[in-house]
Amino acid sequence: MIRSMTGFSSATGSLPPHSWAWELRAVNGKGLDLRLRVPDWIDGLEAGLRKLLGAHVTRGNVTLSLRLARDEQAGALQINEAQLTSVLDAMAVIEARAMAAGVSLAPATSSDIVALRGVLEQSASEDDAAPLSKVLLAEAEALIADFNTMRDSEGAALQKVLRGQLEEVATLTAEAARLAEARSGALAETLRRNLAKVMDNTDGADADRVAQELALIAVKSDVTEEIDRLAAHVEAARDLIGQGGPVGRKLDFLMQEFNREANTLCAKAQNTDLTRCGLALKAVIDQMREQVQNVE
């Protein structure tokens, strides 16, 4: 099965205190261009993702982005011992001075002390990148699998379209062969009439030279090789599509060969019906070339 270069997939996940969102997309490209937007503080993540993508994607402009968020509320509350000590020392000094001055102070409660800035704070758990990287790489495999499922589905549709277009090219090639055979008698008669006119109006013409020129004209108007090559290209394209896998480059080259033969057929046609058939071939080949641009 052939595969499309275009595709998209997304996913979300979490490993407290982190959560994330993936997005993987690809469009057509002549080669493989990987563009990754991932956190650089997770050691080995980008290298691992490039390796995974390289193993599953061979062609296209691929963009992978990972948006990572950290839940700052996930840390536990804890007492800042140094700050608590400072507060209690300050309270002791204040109470001593108040007592010396004969001032009565209301007793402080624990809630009063906790409410003071810096006494109770949220602990910031340290980020361990190793387990996070392991989970992210495992999720990336599932993301890429989903991405390739979409590309396979599009590839199946592409394969159906290309097979239909190849059948149309094969039919038009057979029609061109029939028209070329049918025009041979008329072409020969036209050459004979033109030769008679030339010989009647030219004294001392070199008969051998005239014969050579006629032979050259006949060769230039012969489309047998073009038709044979078109038929061979149809079979080669069928084989590539049946083979499946990353055959887009080969199919793209084959489309150039198809177009070259169709152009030459039109140039040599010298016949309205054969020219019309050649133009129809060019139209189908151009449509097929556009589809091939999507094949990996």
Side-chain angles (χ1 to χ4, degrees), residues 240-276:
L240 283 174
I241 292 174
Q243 171 187 328
V247 296
R249 287 181 182 274
K250 293 180 180 179
L251 283 172
D252 192 33
F253 174 76
L254 203 52
M255 292 306 104
Q256 298 176 37
E257 297 301 307
F258 268 114
N259 197 52
R260 182 179 293 110
E261 302 305 334
N263 282 334
T264 307
L265 177 65
C266 288
K268 289 184 173 183
Q270 299 184 28
N271 176 275
T272 302
D273 291 336
L274 187 55
T275 299
R276 188 180 296 113

Side-chain angles (χ1 to χ4, degrees), residues 6 72 119 183 192 203 206 225 274 279:
T6 60
E72 296 300 337
V119 173
R183 69 158 193 171
R192 279 193 292 269
D203 293 331
D206 186 344
E225 288 187 7
L274 187 55
L279 292 173

Side-chain angles (χ1 to χ4, degrees), residues 12 29 101 116 164 172 176 187 206 242 248 284 287:
T12 58
L116 295 175
L172 288 169
L187 187 59
D206 186 344
V284 178
Q287 293 168 6

Side-chain angles (χ1 to χ4, degrees), residues 5-82:
M5 274 191 282
T6 60
F8 174 83
S9 65
S10 62
T12 58
S14 65
L15 179 66
H18 297 96
S19 60
W20 54 82
W22 294 96
E23 189 174 282
L24 176 60
R25 63 176 69 241
V27 295
N28 301 350
K30 291 185 177 180
L32 178 60
D33 182 13
L34 299 178
R35 301 177 185 180
L36 274 63
R37 302 188 184 100
V38 299
D40 57 8
W41 58 270
I42 306 178
D43 292 338
L45 178 61
E46 181 171 346
L49 290 172
R50 286 188 178 277
K51 183 178 180 181
L52 276 175
L53 286 168
H56 293 89
V57 184
T58 61
R59 193 176 176 217
N61 294 323
V62 182
T63 301
L64 174 64
S65 63
L66 172 63
R67 296 190 303 276
L68 190 66
R70 189 178 189 282
D71 183 6
E72 296 300 337
Q73 302 301 317
L77 293 175
Q78 64 180 13
I79 293 174
N80 186 325
E81 295 291 344

